[in-house]
Amino acid sequence: MEKLKNLRKQRGFTQEYMSRIISTDTSNYSRKENGDVKIYDEEWEKLATALGVEVEEIKEEKPSNVVNFNDTSTNSGAFLNNYYNIPDYILDNQQNYINLLKEQIEVLKEENKKLKEQ
């Protein structure tokens, strides 16, 4: 949502001011501006009007991190679909942890190899 953020700053508007335009609190607006929370079309229109631009000039669609979980554990024949929106910082944290575990696996493989050679 860099277009929105940059234009807001150029106009000298605060996040608090923008949050009032879309009738939300400042922390929620901040999450919207950072792409963590969806900005709805009605909100895009209000924001564009406040900034004096067309919606197309500021609207950006960030692909959401949605996990689709199909629960087939029941024998009812019906499928239950649950969709979860996972914030980027959680995915980044998990990826860092996976990389750390991979490094540890390589160290243990080398250690195992040395022990076998003895």
Side-chain angles (χ1 to χ4, degrees), residues 24-52:
T24 190
D25 58 74
T26 307
S27 64
N28 191 45
Y29 175 80
S30 177
R31 288 190 298 273
K32 287 177 179 281
E33 191 177 80
N34 288 324
D36 297 330
V37 176
K38 179 181 172 75
I39 300 176
Y40 294 95
D41 289 338
E42 180 181 299
E43 293 171 326
W44 279 116
E45 290 172 18
K46 289 178 181 179
L47 294 169
T49 300
L51 294 167

Side-chain angles (χ1 to χ4, degrees), residues 56-73:
E56 294 77 28
E57 292 181 50
I58 59 170
K59 186 174 182 179
E60 298 175 75
E61 292 294 332
K62 182 179 177 192
S64 63
N65 300 313
V66 176
V67 176
N68 181 8
F69 174 70
N70 292 315
D71 184 2
T72 58
S73 61

